[in-house]
Amino acid sequence: LNNTNEIISIKHRGKIYTPDYLVDIILDFGNYTLGNINQKHIIDNSCGDGQFMVHIIDRYCKDFYTKSNNVQILRKELETYIHAIEIDQLELKTCTMRCNEIARSYGINKVNWDFHNANTLECTIFDNKMDFVIGNPPYVRIHNLKTNKDLLRGYLFNNRGMTDLYITFYEIGLRMLNDTGCLTYISPSSFFTSLAGRTMRDYLHRNNLITKLCDLKHFQPFAATTYTTIVVLNKK
């Protein structure tokens, strides 16, 4: 991290990108796998430049072609079941370009993606609709946030300690799930023991939501020094 702009971006906006191999592991953990994909809604609610989205679209197309080769139907399903939110307009543009490239590799052009340039903290259109919420939520300590501090006060998981934006994204992700939906994030593991994570811990335990935890401990998959874990939460 020798680039000043990159450091500022990580500190204030939580931009830490996920390696390809880890994206595949996370999707597997969340059971977004062949045979369990077709006509199911999935969202990355902080999609960045599309690192998760390109893998999601690739898997969706592979799953579809095991049953049909109708390109028109596949295009419509990509527009209907694949969703994304990103606050940074340039990042979303890059995401869209990457997703178009993947779609073209399967013979599909001019997809009208359901991608939204919006603030996830204010976005409610996906609430209770998703079969899968998957991604790498932003890691930003509340005292480093330039904006959105007032918005965070309205969330249940933010009522203790010096919270982090990723904790809020767990609450948002759970809110987006339908009654049988599954959330899979890679995030800091600080919520295991922190005061800020206590309300979240209590909520997950009380509602029996935890399906899997993979604590990466001293293994550092990112450029930033953050202890991370893969968390799978299931409404079922």
Side-chain angles (χ1 to χ4, degrees):
L1 298 179
N2 54 11
N3 182 288
T4 302
N5 289 333
E6 185 179 4
I7 293 170
I8 292 171
S9 181
I10 289 172
K11 185 174 181 181
H12 293 287
R13 304 183 71 172
K15 292 183 179 180
I16 302 175
Y17 299 107
T18 314
D20 287 313
Y21 75 89
L22 199 52
V23 172
D24 279 326
I25 289 171
I26 292 164
L27 290 171
D28 289 345
F29 266 48
N31 203 28
Y32 194 75
T33 52
L34 295 186
N36 194 42
I37 290 175
N38 191 243
Q39 296 186 350
K40 292 185 178 179
H41 291 277
I42 186 168
I43 190 168
D44 183 346
N45 55 31
S46 56
C47 70
D49 68 353
Q51 184 67 351
F52 276 86
M53 299 306 299
V54 294
H55 288 260
I56 287 167
I57 291 164
D58 183 63
R59 289 190 180 207
Y60 196 100
C61 292
K62 281 186 172 72
D63 190 64
F64 180 89
Y65 277 128
T66 65
K67 305 173 185 69
S68 171
N69 59 1
N70 189 312
V71 174
Q72 285 73 30
I73 293 176
L74 177 54
R75 180 190 296 111
K76 184 63 177 176
E77 289 195 5
L78 292 176
E79 294 172 347
T80 303
Y81 295 103
I82 309 294
H83 315 276
I85 306 173
E86 173 54 43
I87 196 169
D88 187 315
Q89 188 173 15
L90 291 178
E91 290 278 87
L92 188 61
K93 183 177 180 180
T94 301
C95 172
T96 303
M97 291 172 60
R98 294 180 69 191
C99 292
N100 284 336
E101 185 177 345
I102 292 292
R104 281 194 295 269
S105 73
Y106 286 95
I108 309 156
N109 294 294
K110 298 180 180 178
V111 180
N112 183 23
W113 301 106
D114 187 33
F115 296 170
H116 296 257
N117 179 211
N119 185 343
T120 302
L121 296 176
E122 300 178 292
C123 189
T124 59
I125 60 173
F126 298 109
D127 287 4
N128 305 308
K129 296 178 180 177
M130 295 296 109
D131 298 288
F132 299 94
V133 175
I134 293 183
N136 177 0
Y139 315 166
V140 190
R141 297 285 285 178
I142 192 169
H143 63 271
N144 286 326
L145 283 174
K146 292 183 177 179
T147 58
N148 298 317
K149 289 184 181 180
D150 290 337
L151 291 174
L152 288 176
R153 294 191 182 99
Y155 286 92
L156 172 66
F157 289 179
N158 289 334
N159 65 356
R160 295 174 185 266
M162 186 61 71
T163 193
D164 191 297
L165 190 57
Y166 83 86
I167 291 176
T168 308
F169 269 74
Y170 272 99
E171 184 172 344
I172 292 170
L174 287 170
R175 192 180 67 199
M176 289 180 170
L177 293 178
N178 61 30
D179 289 341
T180 59
C182 179
L183 178 150
T184 310
Y185 281 163
I186 183 165
S187 77
S189 54
S190 57
F191 75 89
F192 288 171
T193 56
S194 68
L195 175 62
R198 180 172 177 179
T199 299
M200 174 177 160
R201 290 195 304 273
D202 290 346
Y203 184 90
L204 299 183
H205 177 254
R206 187 170 62 252
N207 290 280
N208 196 28
L209 293 170
I210 301 171
T211 301
K212 299 177 187 176
L213 290 174
C214 179
D215 185 1
L216 302 185
K217 297 186 177 180
H218 292 286
F219 177 68
Q220 299 284 340
F222 302 108
T225 304
T226 303
Y227 292 107
T228 52
T229 188
I230 300 170
V231 180
V232 183
L233 307 176
N234 202 310
K235 284 283 189 77
K236 291 187 291 186

